[in-house]
Amino acid sequence: MGRGKLRIYLGAAPGVGKTYAMLSEAHRRAERGTDCVVAFVETHGRPRTAALLHGLEHMPRREIVQREAVFTEMDIDAVLERRPAVALVDEIAHTNVPGSRNSKRWQDVEELLAAGTDVISTVNIQHLESLGDVVETITGVRQPETIPDEVVRRADQIELVDMAPQALRRRMAHGNIYQPDKVDAALSNYFRPGNLTALRELALLWLADRVDEYLQQYRGEHNIRSTWQARERIVVGLTGGPEGRTLIRRAARLAEKGAGGEVLAVYVARSDGLTSASPKELAVQRTLVEDLGGTFHHVIGDDVPSALLEFARGVNATQIVLGSSRRKAWQYLFGPGVGATVARDSGPDLDVHIVTHDEAGKGRGLPGARGARLGRSRVAGGWLVGVAGPVLLTVLLTAIGNGPGLANNVLLFLFLTVIAALLGGLPAALASAAVGSLLLNYFFTSPTHTLDIAEPENLVALVIFFAMGVAVASVVDLAARRTHQAARLKAESEILSFLAGSVLRGQTALDALLERVRETFAMESVALLERDSDVAPWTCTASVGPRPATRPDDADVDMPVGDHMAMALSGRVLPAEDRRVLAAFATQAAVVVDRQRLVGEAEQARELAEGNRIRTALLAAVSHDLRTPLAGIKAAVTSLRSDDVAWSKEDEAELLAGIEEGADRLDHLVGNLLDMSRLQTGTVTPLIRETGLDEVIPLALAGVPAESVELEIPETLPMVAVDRGLLERAVANIVENAVKYSPDGVPVTVAASTLGTRVELRVADRGAGVPDDAKERIFEPFQRYGDAPHGAGVGLGLAVARGFMEAMGGTLTAEDTPGGGMTMVLTLAAAPGHTGTTGPVTTAARTGGKAGSA
């Protein structure tokens, strides 16, 4: 049975109607046929609440004596024994009287939920543990009874029972909450309008956070990327510079303008780990944002604007706060900057605020090279070709005299610029163009060995060279970046195609999927972690690689999947752009886990359906087979009790014999039904011990006429390892079934032989036999091949016999009897240390006893 569901009615203060709403819900469910019981409800003397208790089943309370006083608490054992579908448990934050099994009522509720019972409960906002100090500041009263927030937060449903402060005070004045002698004191103290308004706001804000968690889960499950402006969520982009404090404070002021606003500060670091940010300054900014009620986040991304926008859309942000650029005017030659790029690409659903500060325009150095993705060795090679290459080319051309001419020299230097662009990117190519222009001017343009240019056409040639060098370098760099993007998109498309194909094919190899994740992202290990609740420990569902993480916090990368599942990767930190693909892998892993569980549940459902089929067949079968002996017994007893007929002793003996025969038939039927029930529920536990067949077989044959069976047991037959009772029952059912279908006057043969370490017992009849395609069906419950000659049994004898044989480690199969008929072959394991060979055949003696019917 699965875990029960918890529904909580949350109120801002006593008297808002939580218990009333809970009881009303119980009546609605009871009218729909749900089994609801009142485990513990406190009316506090309120007549309208007490009236709703009528018509509901009440569980008895447990009495506890404490300091010569008697207290009543919920009787958790009685509720667990009653096993209702829904239990009503009022005041979940209540502290139990010393001597109870659990110190807190919410711990009792956890036991009910674990047992599969749904629970409906109530709690006031002032009882939440995290709000204790706030409530004490507002009301001046410290709540002694508290409950961990996580217990309430992980409830399946939380419903706010709301009431305006004025309406609650009117209800109080009318005597609907407290006794009349307490009303005035309550209205002038705890139930003041300001207190009630503040508590109401606390309840609304706390519940809003819970609703936001549901919203994030829904957006993640449906892959919704656009912003839903349900509440103001402000993202602050930090660079690690001193202006970050100004931005955080500005964002906090923006959040205060809207109720429930939230601040999320995010710092985007490069994937290569290189950063110019001050760790000390980042620590100060983290502390500041947390003191202001926000959260600090650290993400990886080479493209800062894209990573920032990805993060903002991922958390459903409505606004982004950025600082004015610290770059100097000339540095804008390298690009528009983060602020302008974010504002341009934010779209209509994100507002971008550019905040001025004291550090604006003071400079922050050249932007980070884009060539990090090219590799350090490749970038170094590009700079070597772009700077040293023109120098070496100049030496070479100077050594051969006049050389090939200025035009050809320009082409050779341009070739080096292109090579520098291919290897080291745009910066190396620009450096190559600049160095090449200077060398061409100094060594190959008249007048040589000066920077002067005498002929205008040479000036034009150098300008064109530099312009073409810059243009070619830009085009080559752009092509390299586009190639990189195309390769990445191709890899992503292949991965997503693989995931889509695995979904369509219904593949459920979780280990293979995790191995694909490890290979795709070059990780050391990947683990899929899961837990039952927010406070439960993490367990590893599956993992690949050495030393997998046991908690998401221990991993280099963790990707949440819903509330209680996460994929943990160890090895390196992933850039922000890779997390989208990782999220697809994580979602697919969750789908695989769910599919595996659904397969298990389907198997359980199949077993339940089989059980239902058996029960239906049982009802159909016993409707006749149990009535027949009962009718005979009833008729015989009625005849014996009749006063108007004088029965002779012979007649009375015949009637009593009929009663005994009918009772035996009922006993046999009920015995087989009980045996089949034990087999279906898996409660058959054989007691295996060494036994001789000559000790069991005669007892099993006691239920059939002596002349109907020929028994052949070798003297050298070894001992067998069986449960004597189960074997006797199985043989009795098989022999009785064989006698039933054997022609009159033709005995059934029961013979035993040794086959290696096994012993075979063969029961052969000379009946009509069974076709090959029906030999397995006759072992199914409630199956009778053809018409039973005597009309007895419900078709369970062979099914019970096979079940008992398999429980003992043996087998039961059907074969054709040579010359006509059917032979049942029982194969048993010989006892350890006992072997034998088949010797002369002898006829064993028959002894009395009981046997089962087929």
Side-chain angles (χ1 to χ4, degrees), residues 566-590:
M567 182 175 286
L569 294 81
S570 301
R572 65 187 183 93
V573 178
L574 286 181
E577 55 188 358
D578 285 343
R579 294 182 67 88
R580 181 174 66 254
V581 179
L582 180 60
F585 271 113
T587 303
Q588 174 64 8

Side-chain angles (χ1 to χ4, degrees), residues 271-497:
S271 60
D272 56 11
L274 300 177
T275 177
S276 59
S278 168
K280 181 178 179 181
E281 183 61 28
L282 284 177
V284 172
Q285 293 175 14
R286 176 193 291 269
T287 303
L288 176 61
V289 71
E290 291 175 351
D291 290 343
L292 293 174
T295 56
F296 185 92
H297 303 268
H298 186 284
V299 300
I300 306 297
D302 289 328
D303 190 347
V304 175
S306 298
L308 189 60
L309 288 171
E310 282 286 330
F311 176 84
R313 292 192 175 99
V315 298
N316 198 29
T318 58
Q319 302 180 52
I320 298 179
V321 174
L322 300 173
S324 297
S325 178
R326 288 186 285 129
R327 295 192 297 177
K328 295 184 180 294
W330 64 269
Q331 292 176 326
Y332 282 94
L333 294 173
F334 298 98
V338 173
T341 305
V342 170
R344 181 192 64 201
D345 299 337
S346 60
D349 53 353
L350 271 174
D351 296 332
V352 179
H353 302 266
I354 305 296
V355 179
T356 59
H357 51 84
D358 296 335
E359 302 297 323
K362 292 185 177 180
R364 62 175 181 86
L366 291 173
R370 297 180 182 176
R373 63 178 177 271
L374 300 176
R376 294 184 179 181
S377 59
R378 183 172 173 179
V379 172
W383 279 93
L384 182 64
V385 172
V387 176
V391 175
L392 294 177
L393 181 59
T394 301
V395 173
L396 178 62
L397 293 176
T398 303
I400 61 176
N402 293 329
L406 180 61
N408 291 327
N409 292 342
V410 169
L411 292 177
L412 291 174
F413 277 92
L414 183 59
F415 175 76
L416 291 178
T417 301
V418 173
I419 297 299
L422 290 174
L423 292 177
L426 183 60
L430 293 177
S432 178
V435 173
S437 299
L438 292 175
L439 293 176
L440 282 171
N441 183 20
Y442 190 82
F443 288 99
F444 304 104
T445 303
S446 58
T448 58
H449 303 294
T450 68
L451 296 179
D452 297 333
I453 302 176
E455 300 177 3
E457 58 268 26
N458 292 338
L459 175 62
V460 173
L462 290 177
V463 171
I464 292 176
F465 165 76
F466 185 84
M468 289 189 63
V470 172
V472 170
S474 299
V475 170
V476 171
D477 181 74
L478 178 62
R481 286 190 284 117
R482 291 291 183 264
T483 302
H484 173 77
Q485 293 174 0
R488 175 176 179 82
L489 291 175
K490 179 182 178 181
E492 289 186 7
S493 64
E494 290 176 353
I495 292 171
L496 296 178
S497 175

Side-chain angles (χ1 to χ4, degrees), residues 125-167:
I125 194 67
Q126 65 264 27
H127 294 295
L128 296 180
E129 200 167 60
S130 66
L131 301 178
D133 295 337
V134 180
V135 173
E136 183 178 11
T137 303
I138 296 171
T139 64
V141 178
R142 182 72 180 186
Q143 293 295 331
E145 295 183 331
T146 60
I147 182 174
D149 290 44
E150 287 300 323
V151 175
V152 182
R153 189 179 295 276
R154 66 172 179 261
D156 298 276
Q157 297 182 55
I158 303 176
E159 184 171 339
L160 179 66
V161 183
D162 191 25
M163 179 173 287
Q166 295 78 6

Side-chain angles (χ1 to χ4, degrees), residues 498-786:
F498 161 78
L499 292 177
S502 64
V503 172
L504 295 176
R505 293 188 297 269
Q507 294 178 350
T508 57
L510 185 57
D511 290 340
L513 179 64
L514 296 184
E515 184 63 33
R516 182 67 181 264
V517 174
R518 189 167 76 99
E519 294 174 358
T520 301
F521 298 104
M523 290 291 179
E524 293 181 0
S525 64
V526 179
L528 189 64
L529 307 178
E530 193 175 15
R531 59 180 178 180
D532 296 330
S533 64
D534 293 336
V535 297
W538 289 96
T539 59
C540 183
T541 303
S543 65
V544 294
R547 299 179 301 278
T550 58
R551 297 185 310 160
D553 295 340
D554 298 335
D556 294 316
V557 181
D558 70 282
M559 175 58 64
V561 190
D563 289 337
H564 302 135
M565 186 179 290
M567 182 175 286
L569 294 81
S570 301
R572 65 187 183 93
V573 178
L574 286 181
E577 55 188 358
D578 285 343
R579 294 182 67 88
R580 181 174 66 254
V581 179
L582 180 60
F585 271 113
T587 303
Q588 174 64 8
V591 170
V592 170
V593 173
D594 290 340
R595 184 183 292 118
Q596 290 176 347
R597 291 174 179 169
L598 287 175
V599 169
E601 292 175 0
E603 180 63 23
Q604 294 178 359
R606 188 195 63 78
E607 294 176 359
L608 291 175
E610 179 66 16
N612 289 333
R613 186 188 69 80
I614 291 177
R615 284 189 288 270
T616 302
L618 171 64
L619 292 175
V622 302
S623 62
H624 173 268
D625 292 291
L626 288 180
R627 280 184 176 181
T628 301
L630 283 175
I633 293 173
K634 174 66 175 178
V637 171
T638 302
S639 299
L640 289 173
R641 296 188 62 186
S642 177
D643 296 330
D644 56 350
V645 177
W647 300 101
S648 65
K649 290 185 178 180
E650 291 79 10
D651 293 332
E652 288 182 357
E654 184 178 352
L655 290 173
L656 290 174
I659 293 174
E660 183 178 14
E661 181 182 357
D664 288 338
R665 289 180 61 186
L666 281 178
D667 179 67
H668 299 160
L669 281 172
V670 173
N672 270 338
L673 290 173
L674 291 177
D675 290 338
M676 197 66 220
S677 175
R678 292 167 59 202
L679 289 170
Q680 290 291 331
T681 57
T683 57
V684 175
T685 305
L687 179 61
I688 304 298
R689 58 181 179 178
E690 294 182 3
T691 303
L693 287 182
D694 56 352
E695 301 175 10
V696 178
I697 302 302
L699 299 176
L701 303 181
V704 295
E707 65 277 5
S708 63
V709 177
E710 288 183 357
L711 186 61
E712 300 174 353
I713 303 293
E715 295 179 350
T716 57
L717 197 68
M719 305 283 280
V720 291
V722 295
D723 182 303
R724 293 186 58 176
L726 297 184
L727 179 60
E728 177 187 341
R729 188 81 174 175
V731 173
N733 284 350
I734 294 171
V735 172
E736 190 166 323
N737 185 76
V739 171
K740 182 193 305 181
Y741 286 96
S742 189
D744 293 338
V746 180
V748 171
T749 302
V750 179
S753 61
T754 303
L755 184 63
T757 60
R758 313 288 289 181
V759 175
E760 284 189 353
L761 183 67
R762 309 175 74 88
V763 180
D765 65 61
R766 295 291 180 179
V770 176
D772 292 339
D773 58 353
K775 283 186 171 62
E776 283 301 313
R777 290 203 304 272
I778 61 176
F779 293 105
E780 296 179 3
F782 307 105
Q783 297 292 323
R784 290 186 294 181
Y785 183 74

Side-chain angles (χ1 to χ4, degrees), residues 686 688 720-723 726-727 730 734 757-761 800-813 825-830:
I688 304 298
V720 291
V722 295
D723 182 303
L726 297 184
L727 179 60
I734 294 171
T757 60
R758 313 288 289 181
V759 175
E760 284 189 353
L761 183 67
V800 170
R802 172 172 276 190
F804 283 170
M805 290 299 297
E806 292 177 350
M808 294 184 292
T811 60
L812 173 61
T813 57
V825 181
L826 295 85
T827 304
L828 303 167

